[in-house]
Amino acid sequence: MDFGRFAVKKKLKTIKSTSVRLSSKTRVTSLRLILIMVVFVIAIGIFAVVGAVQGIIASSPSIDNINVIPSGYATNIYYSDGSLAQTLIAAGGNREYAYIANIPKVVQDAFIAIEDERFWEHEGIDARSIFRSVVEILASGKPQSGASTITQQLLKNQIFGGGNETKTVPKVIRKIQEQYLAIKMENAISKETILEYYLNTINLGQGAYGIKKAAQVYFGKELDELTLSEAAVLACIPKSPTYYNPYKYPEDNARRRTTVLNRMKNQGLITEAEYNEAIEDTEDVYARIKYEATKHTSSSVYSYFTDEVISQLVTDFQTQYGYTAAEASQLIYAGGLSIYTTQDRKIQDIADSVTSNESYYPAFGGGSYYELAYAISILKKDGTTIHYHLSDLIKHNDGFKYDLTISVRITSTGYNLMYYNKTRMDNYIEKFKDSIIEDGDKILLEKRSDTVQPQLSVSIIDQSTGAVVALVGGRGEKSANRTLNRATTSLRQTGSTFKILAVYLAALDSGKFTLATPMDDSPYFYPDSVKEVANWYTKFYGLTPIRRAISYSMNIIAVKTLADITPEFGYSY
């Protein structure tokens, strides 16, 4: 570069020229305008964000109107001896409430350590966790750890439907409202109450809601019996009740359990010795969970007795207390009721054992058979829907007329199909489906039921009190709730039962008759009537002992006996 005298003079002359000065001034002015515009845009953006946030907050539910108290509790039905007969559970309602005073500190600490380590310090939101989450998003594109406090999680579960938004904007709106309400809530109720509600609300997998029910489901224990090792297992689950389920995914739960224990140790909540003892229990704790699961094999299908209890309760709540059917059902299934019944456990077990013993029934093909009900709906590839019924199945198979294992009857109400070889019937149905389903078709619905016949029902009553002590509503495996209950809804006329009670029992008690007393089975008219008594058979048997008259349900002998002891005396029975 030339710094000589002439070069410097030339440079000064250039700088002082009008065109250069105008150009420099223009650049400086433009830069200033750009900076002003940038600041203006930033200011507008800030005001817009603040306004949007204020609008979101203004649209939040009022803290005075929200309810975060856990709802939905299992209803227990008890036998007459006070032992548990059945538990009714609505979706999300398998819960038993536990007060904070009854939740051991080790359980509280395990959940706080992994979910919200500064729970006792913050005022609803944790600024440090939020900042950490923002840094993680900037670094990797997604947060590596959660920033929601226990207070926020309680609000998310109870007020915001679990926070399952699929789009970003609704999720951001919910997060802002959630944080705002969390601050408000912590000014309204105590930390202890918030933690109590949270521990009773959370989904802990295997249908268990709340810490008390989870302790029972996984370990068969009450809360005060849980060890540190077991508390750490349960504390893993809220992050994902599916993938951290200790029964289904013990390895995943075990990895997170180690994190829980490490955090508890680092936060000074447990000692080194307690930590080591819990770590040593890792293999055994999951073995205990698996063993406990084998003890909980009860079916979700209720007994016939329970079905009738539910039906009567629905009716009573509607007629006596003015509930709607929906309100009555909600109370019964999720109201945490304790229902004490007249059902005798021992008698019910006997009734179930006897009626389910297939050796007491005719063999299949020798009297026992299945009655088939069948329907299928096909969505054709052209968009049309075709519905097929039992009659179509029968017609397709040419009435099954060549198969001796099948009987088809046409009645006034349609077709009846009885069979006793299940393998053959399965094959017939598959062939029928192959004939009606083409490439591109889809099955919309297929319904099949195979009702074993002959059927039965049993009602056992304590005659001294009128209490129903046992019910069996049908033969065969009960596969659904509140289905046909033949013991309570298949009403039949009482028929010849009354002959035993009102005629023969009264006659024997009168002292004038014994079971060997002969009566004449011959043509007979009702006393003071021109109407002849009819037997169910066509011929007469002459002199017949009462014992045989009972066995053969002989109407003429019953009427003659009643006339002898007088209708008034028989009616008293």
Side-chain angles (χ1 to χ4, degrees):
M1 184 175 288
D2 188 357
F3 288 100
R5 186 171 52 142
F6 295 106
V8 171
K9 286 183 177 181
K10 185 177 179 182
K11 185 70 175 175
L12 289 172
K13 184 177 180 181
T14 301
I15 292 173
K16 292 178 180 179
S17 69
T18 302
S19 61
V20 171
R21 278 185 287 132
L22 284 174
S23 175
S24 298
K25 189 174 183 179
T26 300
R27 286 197 297 270
V28 170
T29 302
S30 298
L31 180 60
R32 287 174 178 172
L33 288 173
I34 290 171
L35 289 173
I36 291 170
M37 289 178 64
V38 169
V39 171
F40 182 72
V41 169
I42 291 174
I44 289 176
I46 291 172
F47 284 123
V49 170
V50 170
V53 170
Q54 288 178 337
I56 292 170
I57 289 174
S59 64
S60 300
S62 170
I63 192 68
D64 297 322
N65 296 329
I66 64 175
N67 181 12
V68 294
I69 300 174
S71 60
Y73 299 91
T75 286
N76 290 323
I77 299 179
Y78 297 93
Y79 290 112
S80 57
D81 63 2
S83 60
L84 183 65
Q86 199 104 48
T87 298
L88 308 183
I89 302 171
N94 190 16
R95 176 185 288 108
E96 290 185 27
Y97 200 85
Y99 292 99
I100 194 69
N102 298 324
I103 301 175
K105 186 175 184 299
V106 68
V107 176
Q108 299 179 37
D109 288 345
F111 280 86
I112 290 172
I114 192 66
E115 293 294 333
D116 186 3
E117 63 180 283
R118 284 175 288 278
F119 172 73
W120 298 110
E121 303 163 15
H122 64 64
E123 296 182 352
I125 60 174
D126 187 348
R128 287 168 61 182
S129 294
I130 293 172
F131 180 75
R132 182 192 65 235
S133 183
V134 170
V135 171
E136 290 171 350
I137 291 173
L138 294 175
S140 64
K142 62 180 181 178
Q144 304 301 311
S145 55
S148 293
T149 63
I150 282 175
T151 312
Q152 289 177 249
Q153 291 181 48
L154 176 63
L155 285 162
K156 180 179 70 174
N157 291 331
Q158 295 296 88
I159 307 302
F160 296 103
N164 296 315
E165 302 88 356
T166 56
K167 296 183 178 179
T168 302
V169 172
K171 185 173 184 177
V172 170
I173 291 173
R174 189 258 302 166
K175 276 286 187 183
I176 293 172
Q177 293 181 338
E178 188 181 279
Q179 292 173 352
Y180 167 74
L181 289 174
I183 297 171
K184 286 285 189 180
M185 181 183 293
E186 295 229 357
N187 291 324
I189 58 178
S190 69
K191 288 275 191 182
E192 289 78 9
T193 302
I194 291 171
L195 183 60
E196 178 180 304
Y197 289 166
Y198 169 79
L199 290 174
N200 281 284
T201 299
I202 46 179
N203 178 1
L204 291 168
Q206 292 295 101
Y209 288 79
I211 189 68
K212 184 173 182 179
K213 180 57 70 174
Q216 296 169 358
V217 167
Y218 290 112
F219 301 107
K221 292 183 175 182
E222 293 303 317
L223 283 173
D224 59 0
E225 300 173 313
L226 289 177
T227 65
L228 167 62
S229 174
E230 293 163 347
V233 167
L234 299 180
C236 300
I237 305 173
K239 182 177 177 65
S240 175
T242 298
Y243 296 113
Y244 289 111
N245 182 313
Y247 175 67
K248 296 180 179 178
Y249 301 100
E251 295 86 0
D252 295 326
N253 183 280
R255 282 191 290 271
R256 184 166 172 81
R257 173 178 169 276
T258 301
T259 302
V260 172
L261 292 170
N262 280 322
R263 289 196 180 184
M264 292 181 76
K265 183 180 70 170
N266 295 337
Q267 294 169 28
L269 299 172
I270 58 174
T271 65
E272 184 75 28
E274 290 171 328
Y275 170 84
N276 291 333
E277 182 181 355
I279 289 294
E280 289 174 5
D281 186 49
T282 298
E283 187 172 329
D284 289 342
V285 73
Y286 294 102
R288 294 198 298 275
I289 290 172
K290 183 166 286 189
Y291 171 73
E292 187 63 28
T294 64
K295 295 158 60 177
H296 296 280
T297 56
S298 58
S299 171
S300 60
V301 177
Y302 306 143
S303 68
Y304 286 109
F305 197 102
T306 295
D307 279 356
E308 181 59 20
V309 168
I310 294 171
S311 296
Q312 290 190 18
L313 282 173
V314 169
T315 300
D316 289 346
F317 283 136
Q318 288 180 272
T319 58
Q320 298 182 30
Y321 301 103
Y323 286 80
T324 64
E327 290 170 339
S329 293
Q330 178 66 17
L331 179 60
I332 292 167
Y333 287 98
L337 304 181
S338 293
I339 302 169
Y340 297 90
T341 73
T342 58
Q343 187 178 25
D344 186 294
R345 181 164 52 91
K346 293 181 180 178
I347 296 176
Q348 184 67 62
D349 286 345
I350 294 170
D352 291 338
S353 174
V354 171
T355 57
S356 62
N357 189 335
E358 286 299 320
S359 68
Y360 294 146
Y361 299 93
F364 283 94
S368 288
Y369 57 93
Y370 295 99
E371 186 172 352
L372 179 70
Y374 185 78
I376 186 170
S377 296
I378 306 297
L379 177 64
K380 305 297 288 183
K381 59 185 176 183
D382 63 4
T384 59
T385 301
I386 302 179
H387 305 286
Y388 297 93
H389 304 281
L390 179 64
S391 58
D392 299 300
L393 173 66
I394 293 171
K395 292 171 184 175
H396 172 267
N397 287 288
D398 196 21
F400 300 97
K401 59 186 178 182
Y402 302 113
D403 194 329
L404 298 179
T405 71
I406 296 172
S407 172
V408 176
R409 290 201 303 260
I410 302 176
T411 68
S412 58
T413 57
Y415 286 88
N416 283 346
L417 187 152
M418 283 71 66
Y419 74 93
Y420 63 82
N421 188 311
K422 270 199 167 185
T423 301
R424 289 190 185 182
M425 183 52 61
D426 292 342
N427 291 336
Y428 283 125
I429 290 175
E430 288 304 314
K431 288 179 181 178
F432 173 65
K433 288 162 63 176
D434 289 342
S435 72
I436 61 175
I437 300 175
E438 301 172 328
D439 290 340
D441 294 350
K442 292 182 179 179
I443 298 176
L444 291 179
L445 178 69
E446 184 178 16
K447 292 179 67 177
R448 173 182 174 180
S449 65
D450 304 82
T451 304
V452 63
Q453 298 288 356
Q455 270 296 331
L456 89 162
S457 69
V458 177
S459 301
I460 302 178
I461 300 172
D462 181 346
Q463 77 280 6
S464 65
T465 63
V468 178
V469 296
L471 284 181
V472 179
R475 175 188 173 196
E477 182 181 0
K478 190 172 186 288
S479 58
N481 293 324
R482 304 190 69 185
T483 53
L484 174 63
N485 190 338
R486 296 170 183 82
T488 60
T489 58
S490 292
L491 303 181
R492 298 289 188 270
Q493 57 92 3
T494 53
S496 295
T497 302
F498 274 102
K499 296 178 194 173
I500 311 300
L501 298 175
V503 177
Y504 297 119
L505 177 58
L508 295 174
D509 277 358
S510 73
K512 297 172 63 176
F513 296 86
T514 71
L515 290 175
T517 300
M519 301 290 289
D520 189 12
D521 182 35
S522 59
Y524 182 73
F525 290 83
Y526 288 102
D528 304 320
S529 173
V530 296
K531 184 177 180 181
E532 186 174 6
V533 180
N535 277 322
W536 59 270
Y537 46 86
T538 55
K539 64 179 182 178
F540 300 99
Y541 286 91
L543 289 177
T544 304
I546 284 180
R547 180 182 288 107
R548 192 165 188 269
I550 292 173
S551 176
Y552 282 76
S553 190
M554 301 169 78
N555 292 336
I556 290 174
I557 292 179
V559 175
K560 284 184 174 181
T561 305
L562 181 62
D564 192 289
I565 64 173
T566 75
E568 291 78 12
F569 185 62
Y571 180 77
S572 71
Y573 275 71

